[in-house]
């Protein structure tokens, strides 16, 4: 591990930029087999008191770590900017191999700086690379300030305790940037498995016969649940109506699917460990039923056909954990999922 | 009557397309390949959720053992060779899907065992699973197994696909390759046969197609008018290790050139395919192979050099020469190094020499393609006092520093117009943080998907042997000790003899 560090108090973005270039030049002069990573710029805005926790999360992201991380730690009452810059390379020690250098800038700033975060960050981002902004502790004003600079907003729509407000906010952001939503990514294995279940040609007609969908979710992951219903609605051409909250947080509603209706249900499940979905059950008009539920080593699948036959199996796959989902979020910043936007719009209709 | 959906609307936007339920049947399930590559690759696919939603594995090998003992073997192989530490819950679930049949490959009981277990698994699921038979065995069993599968009707399955995966070597010369193809095709259709060349599963090799056909900058230059020569190198710093028995019967020409290097050559020089479907890509590759004129017997010595490594120093240690390696006859004439000059006689490439070089115990491990462009026609700069202008080179580095490098000339800062070459580098590791999957993961998944794009077709294999065969024939006519090169060196000095005047091998 090679680490180079520069620090300064009451500094300016121009000084930080100059320091980064100098650190890189010094590495080149030493002639080590090092090359700076050029994947993306990651601008992360955090509460100063949680800075270490966020750094740990980014460290755990491992292989998806962005090439230049600009970590803006916000302190109440601070009026000046202090900064440090560091280059680190985690090589194998093999002189024949090139080690990739990651760059990190730590900036301590005040709340007032967030309104012009773009001006502070602009000199520090690598042009021509995708710029991602992530503000895991709220700080929506930082994301607003970065509208002209950020290509991608990384967020977790489940962070907002009000799911309707969260979805509405996401819909607004999508006009300006590509949104990568961790709440959506938690549902990826579920979407893949549902798609696989209905993929054999003999099963595809059943997609038009779905009569009821029940999504089970951790109580704080309503957004993941409603995004799953939104995905099914948008992909299958359903027009969902509002979900109505009933006993124990259960939400029910209906979607119009051509001449028929589909019953939609979100069920909170209290004993789930990790956030996200706990299970999903799809029923068809002819009495078939498919359910997927979290289990050890993957998803437990159970199919009940109209002739009364039952079969169950485990769909293999390791839990990605929250670090894996964050890593996937960063990776998704360089891809484009055309199904998220329509799913969010349907989710919005259900929560209106 | 129910309407059959044309498309599955749920697959849009998903990175992983659904794969039909599959039973993977590995012949040679306790062998080195299964242990080091196949079982770990299957585990990693399971870990990532990339296996079909319903998946089973049946292992077949000679030794008798209960399922649980094979599962213990598979666990150990995965724990030792997986590219990531296994997740205990996923590993346990995967091992539960494994069954084992202990019988020799010519024993009818082996096929009865497979048929019974596969049927049982299908019945249990109520779904006819696709079946992929993976022959991770010695090549001498390929035909035996294919015939036996055919005789017991295991080559077809109502409502499902059956595929056969064959590992190299696909024959040891043209005649045996044809014979093998005939044998396999007497049972299976070509669309069912997947011949693995693991080089094609490497991300960097696939990226060659993207580099060439996804970037407008290269195509205008990619021809005889601008390209001076091409060097394709597969150098290893290691010796033969414990593979003496195989290697001494094979040699560098069969082991590396006939498959891996000719595959790289075809990808480098093929015409743009109409689409990236398996047959369109392979049609273009075969055209290239047909355009390569094999050396005439009298030309072999002028166009091909073979040699053996002698004792030397590798990785700071003294190492024995090839003839001193355990299991190698002291009078062996098997080459551990080969270099050859070929040409692709078509409109695009006529007259461009293409050099191939492969060897063991060389100075460094590197697999690369170096495309050297023609020099500029006129130089207006003074070159004295500097390295001067050198032809541009595009280096496609397959391993270990995966990436692309383009050499340019640039002015040296100062009052005088002095120039020297500089490199523009694209390194995979700096532009993609994600870890590349092992080649076998991609290829096993492709066999389950039924995508044959990255697999060699029968005519492709035969065309490649057609190039190599005359060389083997000429070598068989001569005898005597081979030229030697010191272990850890750049290779034999004799290799220079096949180069055009003024040319040099790229240093390793």
């Amino acid at each position: 591990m090679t680490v180079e560090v520069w620090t300064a108090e009451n500094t300016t973005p121009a000084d930080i930029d100059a320091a980064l270039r100098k650190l890189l030049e010094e590495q080149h002069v030493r002639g080590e087999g090092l090359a700076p990573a050029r994947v993306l710029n990651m601008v992360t805005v955090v509460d100063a008191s949680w800075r270490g926790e966020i750094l740990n999360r980014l460290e755990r992201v491992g292989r998806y770590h962005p090439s230049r991380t600009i970590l803006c730690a916000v302190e109440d009452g601070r009026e000046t900017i202090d900064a440090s810059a560091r280059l680190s390379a985690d090589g194998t020690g093999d002189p024949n191999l090139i080690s990739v250098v990651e760059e990190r800038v730590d900036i301590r700033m005040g709340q007032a700086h967030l309104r012009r975060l773009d001006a502070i960050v602009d000199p520090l981002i690598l042009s021509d690379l995708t710029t991602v902004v992530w503000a895991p502790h709220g700080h929506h004003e930082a994301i607003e300030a970065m509208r002209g600079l950020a290509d991608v907003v990384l967020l977790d729509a489940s962070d907002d305790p009000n799911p309707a407000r969260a979805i509405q906010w996401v819909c607004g952001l999508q006009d300006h940037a590509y949104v990568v939503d961790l709440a959506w990514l938690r549902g990826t294995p579920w979407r893949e498995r549902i798609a696989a279940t209905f993929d054999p040609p003999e099963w595809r007609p059943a997609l038009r016969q779905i009569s009821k969908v029940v999504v089970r979710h951790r109580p704080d992951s309503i957004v993941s649940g409603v995004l799953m219903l939104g995905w099914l609605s948008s992909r299958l051409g359903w027009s969902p109506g509002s979900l109505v909250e009933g006993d124990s947080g259960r939400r029910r509603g209906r979607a119009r699917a051509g001449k028929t209706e589909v019953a939609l249900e979100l069920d909170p499940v209290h004993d789930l460990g990790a956030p996200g979905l706990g299970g999903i059950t799809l029923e068809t008009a002819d009495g078939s039923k498919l359910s997927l539920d979290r289990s050890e080593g993957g998803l437990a699948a159970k199919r009940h056909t109209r002739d009364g036959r039952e079969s169950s199996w485990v769909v293999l796959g390791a839990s990605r954990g929250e670090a894996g989902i964050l890593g996937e979020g960063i990776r998704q910043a360089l891809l484009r999922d055309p199904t998220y936007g329509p799913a969010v719009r349907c989710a919005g209709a259900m929560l209106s | 009557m129910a309407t059959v959906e044309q498309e599955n609307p749920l697959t849009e936007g998903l990175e992983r397309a659904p794969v039909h339920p599959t039973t993977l049947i590995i012949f040679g399930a306790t062998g080195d390949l299964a242990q080091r590559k196949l079982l770990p690759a299957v585990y990693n696919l399971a870990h990532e959720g990339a296996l079909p939603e319903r998946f089973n594995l049946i292992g077949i090998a000679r030794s008798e053992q209960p399922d649980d003992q094979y599962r213990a073997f598979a666990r150990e192989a995965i724990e030792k060779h997986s590219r990531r530490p296994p997740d205990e819950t996923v590993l346990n679930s995967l091992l539960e899907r494994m069954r084992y049949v202990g019988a020799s490959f010519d024993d009818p009981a082996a096929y009865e065992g497979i048929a019974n277990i596969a049927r049982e698994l299908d019945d249990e699921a109520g779904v006819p699973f696709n079946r992929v038979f993976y022959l991770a065995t010695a090549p001498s069993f390929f035909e035996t197994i294919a015939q036996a599968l055919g005789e017991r009707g295991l080559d077809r399955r109502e409502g499902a696909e059956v595929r056969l995966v064959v590992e190299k070597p696909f024959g040891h010369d043209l005649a045996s390759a044809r014979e093998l193809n005939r044998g396999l095709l007497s049972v299976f259709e070509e669309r069912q046969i997947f011949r693995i060349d693991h080089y094609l599963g490497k991300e960097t090799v696939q990226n060659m197609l993207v580099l060439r056909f996804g970037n407008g900058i290269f195509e205008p230059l990619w021809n005889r008018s601008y390209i001076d020569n091409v060097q394709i190198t597969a150098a290893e710093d290691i010796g033969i290790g414990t593979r003496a028995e195989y290697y001494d019967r094979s040699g560098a020409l069969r082991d590396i050139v006939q498959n891996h290097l000719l595959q790289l050559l075809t990808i480098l020089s093929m015409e743009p395919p109409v689409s990236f479907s398996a047959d369109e890509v392979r049609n273009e590759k075969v055209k290239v192979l047909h355009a390569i004129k094999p050396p005439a017997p009298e030309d072999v010595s002028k166009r091909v050099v073979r040699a053996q490594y002698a004792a030397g120093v590798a990785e700071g240690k003294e190492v024995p020469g090839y003839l001193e390696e355990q299991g190698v006859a002291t009078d062996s004439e098997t080459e551990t190094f080969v270099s050859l000059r070929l040409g692709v006689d078509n409109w695009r490439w006529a007259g461009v020499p293409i050099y191939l070089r492969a060897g063991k115990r060389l100075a460094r491990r590197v697999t690369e393609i170096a495309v050297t462009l023609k020099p500029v026609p006129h130089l207006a700069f003074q070159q004295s006092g500097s390295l001067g202008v050198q032809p541009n080179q595009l280096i496609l580095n397959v391993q270990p520093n995966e990436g692309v490098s383009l050499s340019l000339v640039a002015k040296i800062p100062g009052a005088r117009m002095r120039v020297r070459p500089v490199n523009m580098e694209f390194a995979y590791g700096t532009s993609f943080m994600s870890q590349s999957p092992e080649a076998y993961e991609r290829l096993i998944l492709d066999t389950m998907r039924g995508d044959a794009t990255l697999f060699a077709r029968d005519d492709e294999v035969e065309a490649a042997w057609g190039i190599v065969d005359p060389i083997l024939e000429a070598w068989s006519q001569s005898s005597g000790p081979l030229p030697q090169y010191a272990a850890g060196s750049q290779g034999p000095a004799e290799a220079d003899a096949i180069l055009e005047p003024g040319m040099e091998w790229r240093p390793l």
Side-chain angles (χ1 to χ4, degrees):
Chain A
M1 169 73 93
T2 312
V3 178
E4 297 290 322
V5 183
W6 166 92
T7 58
E9 290 180 359
N10 199 6
T11 188
T12 65
D15 287 346
I16 303 169
D17 178 42
L20 273 170
R21 266 186 281 115
K22 190 158 179 284
L23 288 175
L24 271 173
E25 276 168 22
E26 284 167 1
Q27 279 197 340
H28 282 298
V29 168
R30 283 199 301 274
E32 294 167 359
L34 300 169
R38 290 293 179 256
V39 183
L40 49 77
N41 301 295
M42 177 83 175
V43 180
T44 306
V45 183
V46 299
D47 287 342
S49 50
W50 291 97
R51 176 183 162 277
E53 194 262 345
I54 294 299
L55 273 177
N56 283 340
R57 285 181 71 182
L58 286 172
E59 285 294 323
R60 284 199 297 271
V61 166
R63 61 193 169 125
Y64 298 128
H65 203 282
S67 49
R68 183 170 282 187
T69 304
I70 301 165
L71 188 77
C72 305
V74 182
E75 288 175 19
D76 283 342
R78 175 177 270 278
E79 290 178 357
T80 56
I81 288 176
D82 293 351
S84 68
R86 55 178 262 161
L87 306 185
S88 59
D90 194 2
T92 59
D94 183 341
N96 291 321
L97 294 177
I98 294 170
S99 295
V100 180
V101 177
E102 287 168 358
E103 302 148 299
R104 195 178 88 210
V105 179
D106 283 276
I107 306 175
R108 289 185 177 272
M109 60 175 59
Q111 190 76 30
H113 290 112
L114 293 183
R115 284 193 295 276
R116 287 312 314 272
L117 185 66
D118 56 336
I120 296 168
V121 163
D122 198 357
L124 304 178
I125 63 172
L126 295 156
S127 46
D128 301 325
L129 293 187
T130 294
T131 298
V132 182
V133 60
W134 180 43
H137 302 138
H139 301 302
H140 285 196
E141 68 272 43
I143 289 177
E144 291 299 322
M146 288 288 289
R147 273 191 174 193
L149 212 54
D151 306 287
V152 176
V153 177
L154 176 66
L155 53 82
D156 187 345
S158 292
D159 282 345
D160 191 328
N162 181 335
R165 187 173 58 202
I167 293 292
Q168 195 181 5
W169 183 55
V170 169
C171 287
L173 284 175
Q174 284 186 313
D175 296 336
H176 305 278
Y178 180 68
V179 173
V180 175
D181 183 354
L182 302 182
W184 170 254
L185 298 181
R186 289 189 191 97
T188 304
W190 302 85
R191 293 192 298 277
E192 286 178 349
R193 292 314 170 185
I194 294 166
T197 298
F198 291 97
D199 197 58
E202 62 272 24
W203 276 94
R204 286 184 204 167
L207 284 172
R208 300 289 167 207
Q209 297 170 11
I210 293 174
S211 56
K212 185 175 182 184
V213 183
V214 180
V215 177
R216 295 173 284 283
H217 59 88
R218 205 169 85 159
D220 60 357
S221 300
I222 297 166
V223 171
S224 290
V226 80
L227 284 173
M228 173 57 71
L229 293 177
W231 172 69
L232 283 168
S233 299
S234 59
R235 297 312 309 153
L236 298 173
W238 302 343
S239 304
S242 297
L243 298 175
V244 179
E245 190 168 351
D247 297 342
S248 342
R250 183 176 291 175
R251 286 172 160 83
R252 288 197 173 115
R254 305 194 77 78
R256 176 141 290 284
K259 291 177 183 169
T260 61
E261 283 199 331
V262 182
L264 306 175
E265 198 169 308
L266 287 180
D267 276 358
V269 179
H270 290 271
D271 57 354
L272 289 177
L277 304 184
I280 182 166
T281 301
L282 296 127
E283 293 179 30
T284 58
D286 67 1
S288 298
K289 196 189 274 188
L290 171 85
S291 64
L292 293 168
D293 285 277
R294 277 190 204 176
S295 84
E296 297 235 312
L299 300 179
K302 192 180 281 184
R303 176 177 276 161
H304 175 97
T305 55
R306 61 181 167 174
D307 56 7
R309 289 197 344 142
E310 272 206 359
S311 58
S312 55
W313 65 97
V314 175
V315 183
L316 297 175
S319 165
R320 295 167 296 169
E322 282 301 291
I325 288 166
L326 178 60
E328 181 61 12
I330 293 170
R331 196 177 76 89
Q332 288 287 331
L334 297 168
L335 301 170
R336 292 295 177 265
D337 181 348
T339 62
Y340 175 66
V344 169
R345 285 192 288 278
C346 284
M350 282 181 260
L351 293 173
S352 62
Chain B
M1 200 175 110
T3 313
V4 175
E5 300 277 334
Q6 294 301 305
E7 297 284 338
N8 176 356
L10 301 183
T11 57
E12 172 79 19
L14 296 178
E15 273 189 80
R16 275 194 284 267
V19 187
H20 192 83
T22 302
T23 297
L24 175 66
I25 300 130
I26 302 177
F27 286 83
T30 55
D32 195 50
L33 181 69
Q35 198 175 352
R36 297 169 66 90
K37 297 289 181 188
L38 304 185
L39 292 168
V42 168
Y43 170 75
N44 279 299
L45 290 171
H47 186 103
E48 290 181 354
L51 283 179
E53 66 162 342
R54 307 189 84 164
F55 174 82
N56 305 301
L57 187 151
I58 305 174
I60 299 112
R62 196 171 300 167
S63 56
E64 292 272 356
Q65 56 181 325
D67 289 342
D68 280 345
Q69 200 174 323
Y70 182 67
R71 289 175 184 140
F73 166 85
R75 171 187 287 279
E76 196 182 327
I78 291 164
E79 285 172 346
K80 193 168 172 193
H81 299 292
S82 166
R83 68 181 162 91
R84 57 157 70 87
D87 175 296
E88 195 58 22
T89 59
V90 178
L91 180 54
N92 286 338
S93 296
L94 176 65
L95 294 174
E96 277 174 26
R97 315 286 182 84
M98 292 189 186
R99 303 286 293 272
Y100 181 79
V101 176
S104 65
F105 306 138
D106 52 4
D107 180 353
Y111 303 91
E112 273 166 41
I114 295 166
N116 290 340
I117 295 173
R119 198 180 316 114
E120 184 189 315
L121 293 168
D122 284 11
D123 290 347
E124 196 179 285
V127 183
F129 280 50
N130 284 352
R131 290 173 187 171
V132 175
F133 294 102
Y134 198 119
L135 311 194
T137 67
S140 53
F141 289 113
F142 291 171
E143 241 188 287
T144 310
I145 295 170
Q147 293 294 338
L149 290 171
E151 282 162 18
R152 283 149 191 89
L154 289 167
D155 57 321
R156 299 279 183 281
R157 174 89 175 108
E158 181 80 30
E161 296 286 336
V162 178
R163 302 185 181 111
L164 184 77
V165 185
V166 188
E167 272 285 339
K168 72 156 189 149
F170 317 118
H172 55 88
D173 56 17
L174 178 58
S176 60
R178 281 182 176 150
E179 184 60 31
L180 176 61
N181 279 335
R182 260 197 302 273
L184 298 181
L185 288 166
S186 69
V187 180
F188 291 88
E189 293 171 36
E190 178 57 34
R191 64 171 187 85
Q192 294 178 279
I193 302 171
F194 290 69
R195 296 174 190 80
I196 280 199
D197 183 330
H198 74 268
Y199 257 50
L200 296 181
K202 290 181 185 290
E203 290 283 338
T204 40
V205 174
Q206 293 162 47
N207 189 48
M208 282 168 62
L209 292 167
V210 179
L211 184 87
R212 281 196 58 201
F213 303 129
N215 296 289
I217 189 172
F218 297 116
E219 179 53 26
L221 308 176
W222 216 255
N223 57 58
R224 65 190 305 274
S225 303
Y226 294 95
I227 292 181
D228 187 77
N229 70 83
V230 176
Q231 289 186 18
I232 305 179
T233 300
E236 292 177 274
D237 52 1
I238 55 171
I240 57 164
T242 56
R243 296 172 69 220
E245 191 190 339
Y246 162 76
Y247 197 87
D248 202 47
R249 281 186 281 112
S250 174
L253 187 67
R254 286 188 176 100
D255 189 43
I256 302 288
V257 174
Q258 185 275 336
N259 36 68
H260 304 324
L261 291 200
L262 287 179
Q263 285 289 344
L264 293 182
L265 191 160
T266 57
I267 291 171
L268 179 93
S269 50
M270 68 193 258
E271 294 299 314
V274 176
S275 71
F276 276 90
S277 69
D279 271 332
E280 294 294 355
V281 170
R282 297 188 298 180
N283 287 346
E284 295 304 336
K285 286 164 68 187
V286 169
K287 281 187 207 166
V288 172
L289 293 168
H290 286 164
I292 297 173
K293 202 181 287 176
E298 63 275 18
D299 281 345
V300 166
S301 61
K302 292 177 214 148
R303 288 173 55 184
V304 186
V305 169
R306 59 175 168 159
Q308 281 173 342
Y309 63 81
V313 177
E315 294 179 279
K317 288 183 293 197
E318 290 195 358
V319 293
Y322 180 67
L323 298 178
E324 290 118 45
E325 295 275 17
Q326 202 170 4
V328 174
T330 51
D331 59 350
S332 169
E333 291 176 17
T334 300
E335 77 287 358
T336 61
F337 175 96
V338 63
S339 60
L340 58 158
R341 187 177 76 228
L342 297 174
V344 178
D345 291 341
N346 63 16
W347 195 279
R348 188 190 284 267
W349 292 103
V352 178
I354 298 179
Y355 299 98
L356 309 184
R357 172 174 57 161
K360 287 196 171 289
R361 279 276 185 246
L362 291 168
R364 195 160 68 91
R365 171 181 171 250
V366 62
T367 302
E368 66 170 28
I369 299 170
V371 179
T372 305
L373 277 79
K374 291 193 168 163
V376 291
H378 169 71
L379 278 177
F381 313 119
Q382 292 283 334
Q383 290 196 74
S384 62
S386 69
L387 290 172
V389 173
Q390 293 181 6
N392 303 116
Q393 269 193 334
L394 180 72
I395 312 296
L396 310 172
N397 201 323
V398 176
Q399 60 188 16
N401 288 318
E402 294 97 337
V404 180
S405 157
L406 178 64
S407 79
L408 307 166
V409 284
K411 180 181 175 297
I412 301 169
R416 293 175 60 195
M417 190 60 100
R418 294 182 305 167
V419 296
R420 76 165 176 85
V422 293
N423 280 352
M424 234 166 73
E425 306 266 3
F426 151 64
Y428 248 87
T430 62
S431 300
F432 297 96
M433 291 297 194
S434 55
Q435 194 181 8
S436 294
E438 284 278 318
Y440 274 97
E441 291 170 37
R442 167 67 195 263
L443 296 172
I444 290 172
L445 193 56
D446 280 358
T447 63
M448 292 194 279
R449 284 185 187 136
D451 182 351
T453 309
L454 300 178
F455 297 82
R457 206 168 55 188
D458 55 346
D459 53 346
E460 201 176 340
V461 169
E462 290 179 17
W465 275 118
I467 296 163
V468 165
D469 230 28
I471 302 170
L472 293 169
E473 178 60 27
W475 285 353
S476 70
Q477 304 298 318
S478 63
S479 64
L482 267 48
Q484 305 270 305
Y485 60 97
S489 71
Q490 296 282 324
E494 288 84 348
D496 293 351
I498 62 171
L499 297 172
E500 298 277 323
M503 274 196 59
E504 290 175 351
W505 287 105
R506 259 177 69 75
L508 295 172

